[in-house]
Each structure stands twice: as C-alpha cells, then as structure tokens.
Amino acid sequence: MLGGKRMRVLVLGGTTEASRLAALLAAARRDIWSMLSFAGRTKAPIAPAIPYRIGGFGGVEGLVSYLERERIELLVDATHPYAEQMSRNAELASAQAGIPLIVLTRPPWLREPGDDWTIVGDMEAAAAALGPEPKRVFLTIGRLQLAAFASAPQHAYLIRAVDPFDPPPELARCRVIAGRGPFGSAAEEELLRDEKIEMIVTKNSGGGAAFAKIVAARRLGLPVVMVERPQGVAGDALHDPAEAMAHILAHAEALASRGV
Ligand code: NAP
C-alpha cells in the first residue's frame, strides 16, 4: 500500500494494449484509481475491469477540464497509432494541466524478405496503388476513410469491421463482413483464398491481434498496400503494457514518498 491515498490515472484507450493495461491497473486498485476512456466508435466495447467512460472530451480544453475536475495525476495515451488527433490533444492537455504523460503504442510491423508491400502515405494513395485493372481487394482500415476508395470503383471490395454498417458504405462493389480480432493466420489464409482476394489494404497497426492477415498474405504471396503511420507525438513511446504499469507504479511511489 502506497501511503493511503490512491493515485488517479486516466487511460485513453480503444486498443488491446489499453485493455491489457486496464487489467493490470485493476489488480493494483488498492494503490491506484484509474479510468479507461473510449471514443465510442465501437457500439459495444468489451467492458474493462476498471471504471470506464465513453465519448470525446471536447478538444484540448475539454480534456484539460476533465483532468482538473477528476484530479487526474497521470495521463496514459494508449490510443491506436492512427488516432492522431487524440494523441495530439493528450500531449497538449497534459502539458497544460501540468501532469505527466505516458504514451503506450504498438511497434509497427516490419517488412520481411519476400513480402510484397507497397508503402503509401495516405488512403487516397492506397486507392491509387491498387492500379487500373479490376481486382478483389480486402480492406481492413476501419470505416472512417472508406470514401477514399470511391475513386477506384473498378475493384470489388471485401470490408471487415467490428460493427455492421448503417448506412452501408458508398462503394459501388463492396461486401461487409463482421470481425473483431484477435484473428488466427490459418483462418485469415482461408478467408483470403475463399474470397479470391488479390490485394490487401491495411494500416501499419502493429501488434499481434491483426498481424495474422500479414502472415497469411506472406504465405500466399499476396501484395499488401501498407498505409504509413502518422508522425507520432513527441517523447518516447512504451510498447508493453507491463512496462507502462511499472512506470505508473514508480510515479505512484514517487508521489507517495513526497506525501502528495
Ligand atoms: P482521433 O481521430 O485521433 O480522435 C478524434 C476525436 O475522437 C478526438 O479528438 C476525441 O474527441 C475523440 N477520441 C478519440 N479517442 C478517444 C478516447 N480514447 N476517449 C475519448 N475520446 C476520444 O481518433 P480515431 O482515429 O477516430 O480513433 C477513435 C478511437 O478508436 C480511439 O480511441 C482509438 O484508440 C480507436 N481506434 C482507432 C483506430 C484507427 O485506425 N484510427 C483503430 C482502432 C482503434 P474530443 O476532441 O471531443 O475529445
């Protein structure tokens, strides 16, 4: 027990890593009070073992107000590497509120010899990289940036998303299948074969939960259009929830030793 007062932590989540960290925080609840925040993009997020909230804060200003109102002493940005806005807001808000920020993110996937990757800067470039010939394309990019593929209507798209689409995506030839990771590489290989997929478009999310499709593409010799990560926030990112937990405990101990 660290001196009697529980340190207060806010974790910005929506990722497997954030959920893993939440499980570690739940085990340390005697010393640390923590809250996990979801944006609300997924209809039914898997409930964590710590308290959680859903929805935006209202920009940097809203996040600073939340941090102050809830007397948060440490902020953890464990959002997805492509959640650029939230990460920027977290960096600015932690500086304004005068509390430390820990960034927890997955290391990117690395190309191996034999991988047929085309690396592009954004979704528009990904659509162009599919080429003029009609192809069967597997899209695992979430729902928000599908509009970029309207510029390439010659292809037939198989889209995988956590929730069903309502309204359906505005793509001439597409089919949506539901799926929430982690996925297995044998099942991914079967899906790619059954659907006669010729190209895959993905973000470089990193981590294990979505890696199976990369392994399956490697085995089948399928080309992958890889959309590069946005520039990360400043500071060193941690990659392991256990490492983030060790930093959180060290900070709690430092506060307790100062009698804060
Ligand atoms: P974004 O563009 O960086 O954020 C847009 C706005 O959504 C933020 O300004 C914030 O609204 C709100 N928001 C984002 N993450 C939040 C969180 N954890 N808690 C509360 N509000 C949050 O984010 P995004 O790319 O749409 O991603 C949304 C969520 O989905 C994130 O939690 C992310 O971890 C998860 N996710 C994203 C991807 C991806 O490819 N982008 C993939 C898997 C999971 P306010 O300004 O009002 O605070």
Side-chain angles (χ1 to χ4, degrees), residues 119-205:
I119 299 175
V120 296
D122 56 32
M123 254 351 130
E124 285 69 26
L130 296 174
E133 295 302 321
K135 293 187 188 71
R136 294 180 61 80
V137 179
F138 186 36
L139 291 182
T140 58
I141 57 161
R143 59 185 57 222
L144 297 180
Q145 290 170 290
L146 286 174
F149 294 88
S151 65
Q154 69 275 31
H155 308 300
Y157 296 101
L158 180 68
I159 300 166
R160 182 166 63 199
V162 175
D163 294 317
F165 279 68
D166 186 20
E170 289 183 14
L171 291 175
R173 300 169 63 208
C174 75
R175 193 155 62 80
V176 179
I177 54 171
R180 192 198 291 257
F183 301 100
S185 58
E188 292 292 67
E189 206 176 315
E190 198 181 321
L191 175 74
L192 296 172
R193 271 189 212 281
D194 288 353
E195 295 289 342
K196 300 186 173 50
I197 295 298
E198 296 165 284
M199 265 181 129
I200 298 174
V201 180
T202 180
K203 297 175 180 175
N204 194 337
S205 299

Side-chain angles (χ1 to χ4, degrees), residues 11-15 36-42 53-60 62-63 77-89 106 141-142 144-145 203 205:
V11 180
L12 303 171
T15 57
L36 179 60
S37 176
F38 294 111
R41 303 281 188 273
T42 305
R53 62 171 299 288
I54 298 179
F57 297 93
V60 177
L63 181 54
D77 173 12
T79 57
H80 192 269
Y82 289 74
E84 212 177 348
Q85 182 67 52
M86 190 68 247
S87 291
R88 232 184 347 256
N89 290 0
R106 310 163 192 173
I141 57 161
L144 297 180
Q145 290 170 290
K203 297 175 180 175
S205 299

